[in-house]
Amino acid sequence: MAGNAKSPAPVVARQEQEKKARCGWQGGARVWEETEPQTKKLKSCEVGEPHKKPPKRKVVLLMAYSGKGYHGMQRNVGSSQFKTIEDDLVSALVRAGCIPENHGEDMKKMSFQRCARTDKGVSAAGQVVSLKVRLIDDILAKINSHLPSHIRILGLKRVTGGFNSKKKCDGRTYFYMLPTFAFAHRDHDVQDETYRLSAETLQQVNQLLARYKGTHNFHNFTSQKWPWEPSAQRYILDMFCEAPFERDAMEFAVIKVKGQSFMTHQIRKMVGLVVAIVKGYAPEDVLERSWGEAKVDVPKAPGLGLVLERVHFERYNRRYGNDGLHEPLDWAQEEAEVTAFKEQHIYPTIINTERQERSMAQWLSTLPMHDFSATAQAAAGPGAKVPSPQEGDGHSD
C-alpha cells in the first residue's frame, strides 16, 4: 500500500519536466532553439508583454500653409519632381510617430482625405484633412517640430470613425488678395502703385461679383468640362470685395467667395473676368454668355493671391457637434493663431512676391490678347455688328 501511495511522484516530476521543456528550459538555463517563435513563447510563459503603441483614432487636423514653391496640396506618390504640401505633412507625421512609415507610401491605409486640393502656389489659412493617427503625447508640437515654419498644424479634433473631410465639407470660403491697380482703367499704367481704388469703382466691382451668386454653369471657368455635364453646375453663396488697405505703400483689396465647391481654376477665372470688365477690356454681358453653352474666352488671374480661408461642416455640426461625444468643427479657439499665421506668412508672401515677380502686372498686360466678343458675334449671326469692348467705356452691350 505504501509503495502504491508514492507511485504518483515520478509522474508529477515528468509532467514538470515536460512543462519546462515546452517553455524552453534545458537543465537550469533557459535557451531558445529558434529565434522566430520567441515572441509567442514569451507570451505563453508570461515573461512580460511588449510595449503597447498608442491607439489609432480618426481625427481632423487644421492646417495653414504658404503655397509658394509648392505644386499644390495633393501628394503625387512616387514623384519627387514636384514638391507638394502633403509631401512635407506626411514626412512630419512619420517622423513624429503618428503613422507607420508604410502609411506614408500608401495614404489610403490611414484613410487620408483633404477638404480642398489647392493648386500650385495657392495658400491656405484653414485647410482641414482627416486621417487615422496614433494619439501620441504633445502630438501637435511634435508634428510641427518636423514641419517648416510656413506649414503649421493649428488644431486637432476627434471625429466619427467614418468621417471624410471632403465628403462632409458642405462649404468652402476662399479669398483673393490683389493690388488695387488691377481695377484701374486700361488707359492707366499697368503697374501704377499710386493708384487708389475709388468708392465708385469698388461699388462697380461688388455689383459684378454679386452676379455670380446662385447656381450657374461654370464650364467656361475650368478646363476639360462640357456644358452639359452636371458637375459644371456650381452654387455660389456669396462673393464680394472688402474695403482696400495699404501695405508697404501699395494698396490691396481682398475678394471673398463662399461656395459649396469649386473646380480647378474656377475662382481665378471668376476674378479674372471681373477685372477684365472693370478695366474696359470686356463687356458686362460676357458674364451671362459665359454661363451659356458656347465657349467663352475667360482670363485666369494669377494663383499668387488665392487663399483657402476656411472650410465649413454645418450639417456635421448639427448632427454631431452637440451629441456629447464629439466637438463641433468650427475652430473658434484657433482663430487667433489663424490670423497670426496669415499676418506672418501669407500676406507678406503675396506682397513681397508681387513686388519681386510682378505676377499681377504681367498678367494684366495679357488681357488685350483675349477675344471677349467671339461668341457674341457667332450668336448674332453673319454680317451682324457686335460692339467692340475697345469702343466707349467697355461696359455696354
Side-chain angles (χ1 to χ4, degrees), residues 68-129:
K68 183 182 179 182
Y70 290 88
H71 286 256
M73 170 73 179
Q74 187 172 0
R75 191 180 190 208
N76 301 309
V77 178
S79 175
S80 59
Q81 183 179 1
F82 302 110
K83 187 178 182 181
T84 68
I85 298 293
E86 288 178 8
D87 286 330
D88 283 353
L89 173 61
V90 171
S91 175
L93 291 172
V94 172
R95 295 170 67 186
C98 298
I99 61 172
E101 189 171 354
N102 65 331
H103 286 200
E105 297 301 322
D106 185 359
M107 299 173 71
K108 291 181 180 179
K109 291 183 178 179
M110 56 176 163
S111 304
F112 186 92
Q113 188 57 262
R114 85 250 349 130
C115 273
R117 185 180 58 188
T118 52
D119 298 334
K120 176 183 176 182
V122 176
S123 300
Q127 172 76 276
V128 170
V129 300

Side-chain angles (χ1 to χ4, degrees), residues 31 40 67 73 92 98 173 180 212-213 224 228 241 266 294 297 337 343 349 357 361 373 391:
V31 296
K40 292 184 178 180
M73 170 73 179
C98 298
T173 297
T180 57
Y212 281 122
K213 291 195 290 186
Q224 300 179 343
W228 53 82
C241 182
Q266 180 183 338
D297 186 6
E337 290 184 83
E343 291 288 344
T349 297
E357 301 179 5
S373 61
E391 300 172 0

Side-chain angles (χ1 to χ4, degrees), residues 113-382:
Q113 188 57 262
R114 85 250 349 130
C115 273
R117 185 180 58 188
T118 52
D119 298 334
K120 176 183 176 182
V122 176
S123 300
Q127 172 76 276
V128 170
V129 300
S130 57
L131 70 162
K132 290 181 180 178
V133 297
R134 294 174 180 148
L135 292 178
I136 61 176
D137 295 334
D138 299 323
I139 183 169
L140 293 187
K142 289 179 180 176
I143 297 174
N144 284 324
S145 69
H146 298 291
L147 286 171
S149 61
H150 55 267
I151 303 177
R152 293 287 94 176
I153 306 299
L154 302 179
L156 179 150
K157 291 186 179 183
R158 289 279 304 275
V159 288
T160 56
F163 185 89
N164 180 304
S165 61
K166 182 179 179 180
K167 293 180 179 180
K168 293 296 183 182
C169 180
D170 46 30
R172 296 158 177 85
T173 297
Y174 285 81
F175 72 79
Y176 190 90
M177 181 175 169
L178 73 170
T180 57
F181 63 69
F183 296 118
H185 193 267
R186 64 176 184 265
D187 295 335
H188 278 72
D189 177 36
V190 168
Q191 190 175 11
D192 181 7
E193 295 186 7
T194 65
Y195 176 84
R196 295 297 179 264
L197 187 66
S198 66
E200 293 76 17
T201 303
L202 178 60
Q203 183 180 14
Q204 180 194 5
V205 170
N206 276 319
Q207 287 174 346
L208 291 169
L209 294 175
R211 291 165 71 173
Y212 281 122
K213 291 195 290 186
T215 301
H216 301 287
N217 190 321
F218 284 98
H219 75 97
N220 277 310
F221 293 78
T222 187
S223 59
Q224 300 179 343
K225 185 75 66 176
W226 295 103
W228 53 82
E229 292 185 54
S231 60
Q233 298 283 336
R234 299 291 161 134
Y235 178 55
I236 305 301
L237 286 84
D238 200 8
M239 192 168 188
F240 61 92
C241 182
E242 296 181 335
F245 58 93
E246 284 193 28
R247 289 289 178 93
D248 299 338
M250 187 187 298
E251 189 178 68
F252 288 84
V254 169
I255 295 174
K256 290 194 175 183
V257 56
K258 181 181 179 181
Q260 288 182 332
S261 61
F262 299 93
M263 295 178 288
T264 303
H265 305 321
Q266 180 183 338
I267 297 174
R268 292 166 62 184
K269 282 178 172 277
M270 292 169 71
V271 172
L273 190 56
V274 167
V275 169
I277 295 172
V278 174
K279 291 188 75 65
Y281 289 112
E284 285 193 18
D285 75 326
V286 74
L287 271 175
E288 280 70 23
R289 286 192 283 113
S290 69
W291 300 325
E293 292 188 1
K295 188 67 178 175
V296 174
D297 186 6
V298 179
K300 180 177 64 179
L304 174 64
L306 186 59
V307 179
L308 174 63
E309 185 170 44
R310 68 178 67 241
V311 291
H312 308 270
F313 300 94
E314 294 169 5
R315 289 193 297 269
Y316 175 87
N317 287 342
R318 284 195 296 268
R319 182 171 180 180
Y320 298 104
N322 298 308
D323 65 356
L325 299 174
H326 305 93
E327 300 176 82
L329 304 181
D330 57 13
W331 310 108
Q333 296 181 351
E334 291 77 14
E335 192 62 38
E337 290 184 83
V338 171
T339 301
F341 186 90
K342 288 191 288 187
E343 291 288 344
Q344 186 175 359
H345 293 283
I346 295 179
Y347 296 152
T349 297
I350 295 174
I351 294 169
N352 296 335
T353 304
E354 178 58 39
R355 284 195 174 281
Q356 295 167 9
E357 301 179 5
R358 302 177 68 250
S359 59
M360 178 57 69
Q362 291 181 21
W363 173 76
L364 291 173
S365 66
T366 68
L367 288 179
M369 304 176 190
H370 291 267
D371 185 0
F372 299 101
S373 61
T375 54
Q377 180 70 54

